[in-house]
Amino acid sequence: MAKRSSSSGRWLDEHESDAFVARARAEGYRSRAAFKLAELDDKDRLLAPGQCVVDLGAAPGGWLQYCARKLAGSRARIVGIDILPIDPIDGAHVITEDFREQAAVEALERVLQEQPVDLVLSDMAPNISGVRNADQAAAMGLLELAEDFAATHLRAGGSFVAKAFQGEGFDAFVGRLRGRFGSVALRKPKASRSRSREIYVVARDWRDE
């Protein structure tokens, strides 16, 4: 058996001792990230019966599971997309496509059938190279793609929630959202590890002008 590195060992030890990991297993969620969305939803009242929800970067499906459970029985439409395969989830439609490609947007639009979206979620993040400037640029590129999708598919009054990393381009991104939504808040859910630079941008009340 190969000896694991000290860094991978630390990550595994942290993972196994994480209370949110244990809770996800106990409650049948595929990832601890479900509790990030749960906290955002509790604070900002994002989900409501009958909504149309699109989750960008949805694998392995924790956010989709949370949405499907919260909106079960309400004729909601929940769609998730990721470059990685997502095992089926009752109450959600999953698409395996690279959201950076136009084909992914077209696949989403075929499923949506011109239905306006109430909530766009994005937990997308790039593969980390370790080169901070390059990683930030890649993260902002994904964030801007999510922003563009929200701008062209949200109904008036809809909401947009996205994972972001503070750095080059972040302030300009938040500034754009403040000009297009009624309210914009920055959140750091308890399930987000303290050492992570991630922060969640919650934009509500889309002004469809």
Side-chain angles (χ1 to χ4, degrees):
M1 180 181 295
K3 185 178 179 181
R4 71 190 189 190
S5 69
S6 59
S7 60
S8 64
R10 285 193 300 272
W11 181 90
L12 186 59
D13 290 342
E14 179 185 27
H15 184 76
E16 290 302 317
S17 63
D18 189 309
F20 288 105
V21 172
R23 186 179 168 192
R25 290 171 178 165
E27 297 184 22
Y29 283 112
R30 296 179 185 179
S31 72
R32 64 195 300 285
F35 302 111
K36 300 177 188 179
L37 180 57
E39 182 177 333
L40 296 175
D41 183 32
D42 286 344
K43 187 178 293 290
D44 295 291
R45 299 182 181 181
L46 299 167
L47 292 166
Q51 283 182 329
C52 178
V53 181
V54 174
D55 183 4
L56 309 175
W63 282 21
L64 288 176
Q65 286 180 295
Y66 177 81
C67 292
R69 293 182 187 186
K70 179 73 178 283
L71 303 181
S74 71
R75 300 175 65 89
R77 174 172 286 179
I78 303 165
V79 186
I81 188 167
D82 202 289
I83 191 172
L84 299 174
I86 303 170
D87 290 336
I89 294 171
D90 288 341
H93 185 105
V94 298
I95 300 169
T96 305
E97 290 280 358
D98 184 347
F99 188 68
R100 295 170 296 182
E101 304 295 334
Q102 180 60 27
V105 176
E106 293 171 357
L108 281 167
E109 290 176 342
R110 285 194 295 272
V111 173
L112 294 173
Q113 298 179 330
E114 299 187 354
Q115 180 178 359
V117 179
D118 297 283
L119 175 62
V120 173
L121 303 170
S122 174
D123 204 27
M124 293 190 292
N127 292 326
I128 301 301
S129 69
V131 180
R132 185 157 183 160
N133 288 345
D135 291 339
Q136 179 65 16
M140 288 307 307
L142 291 175
L143 200 55
E144 288 163 4
L145 288 175
E147 177 190 3
D148 288 345
F149 181 85
T152 53
H153 293 84
L154 278 178
R155 66 164 177 82
S159 300
F160 174 45
V161 176
K163 176 162 66 181
F165 299 89
Q166 292 176 304
E168 184 69 29
F170 175 78
D171 288 344
F173 166 74
V174 173
R176 288 195 303 273
L177 295 188
R178 293 194 192 282
R180 306 170 92 175
F181 288 85
S183 68
V184 176
L186 305 182
R187 309 287 191 208
K188 181 80 170 179
K190 293 183 179 68
S192 183
R193 291 188 170 101
S194 59
R195 60 177 169 75
S196 173
R197 293 193 303 114
E198 71 182 16
I199 192 165
Y200 287 84
V201 181
V202 179
R204 302 190 63 200
D205 192 17
W206 166 247
R207 299 169 182 150
D208 188 13
E209 299 173 348

